[in-house]
Amino acid sequence: DLKLAPLQENTLDCIQYFTLAVSIIVSGLLADRFDCRRLILFSFYLSVLSTVACATVANYITLLLSRALIGYAVGLNYSLNSVMIARLASCKAIVDDIAFVSSLMYSVGGVWSPVLRYLLLNVMD
């Protein structure tokens, strides 16, 4: 337990969504400047490293930084996958189907993670 103040807890709640929004906005510019595949790999490696950092936090600053990096990685991954799919698909119907499945999987993952966390916390108590 890090014994955080209420302001620190609220900052931790908001930082991931803020950096996610920033990375979605910036990802278009980055995709034009760098190769899309390299950026997707970079976001994957960034998410792995920041998740490990988040799991092994020692203080508030480390936790804040790792949450911010997770937000950047998720935002880059989400938007760059859509850009890459649109570039590689052969027709609009395929793009629409892939975008639907991709959005559905992100939604399922977003719901499954808190449900799993809730169930695990009940088992641990």
Side-chain angles (χ1 to χ4, degrees), residues 20-32 39 72 76 79-80:
L20 185 138
V22 169
S23 67
I24 287 175
I25 293 169
V26 174
S27 65
L29 299 171
L30 292 175
D32 290 338
L39 283 174
Y72 280 123
L76 281 175
S79 59
L80 290 175

Side-chain angles (χ1 to χ4, degrees), residues 8-85:
Q8 290 175 324
E9 289 178 5
N10 293 334
T11 304
L12 285 172
D13 289 340
C14 295
I15 191 72
Q16 186 172 358
Y17 295 109
F18 176 75
T19 55
L20 185 138
V22 169
S23 67
I24 287 175
I25 293 169
V26 174
S27 65
L29 299 171
L30 292 175
D32 290 338
R33 186 174 178 121
F34 301 104
D35 183 32
C36 204
R37 290 177 194 254
R38 288 184 181 170
L39 283 174
I40 289 173
L41 284 174
F42 172 74
S43 71
F44 172 71
Y45 294 135
L46 182 64
S47 69
V48 169
L49 293 175
S50 56
T51 302
V52 169
C54 192
T56 60
V57 294
N59 57 20
Y60 170 71
I61 298 298
T62 307
L63 184 59
L64 187 67
L65 180 64
S66 64
R67 295 280 304 239
L69 291 176
I70 288 172
Y72 280 123
V74 169
L76 281 175
N77 192 9
Y78 183 74
S79 59
L80 290 175
N81 282 334
S82 302
V83 169
M84 191 167 179
I85 289 168

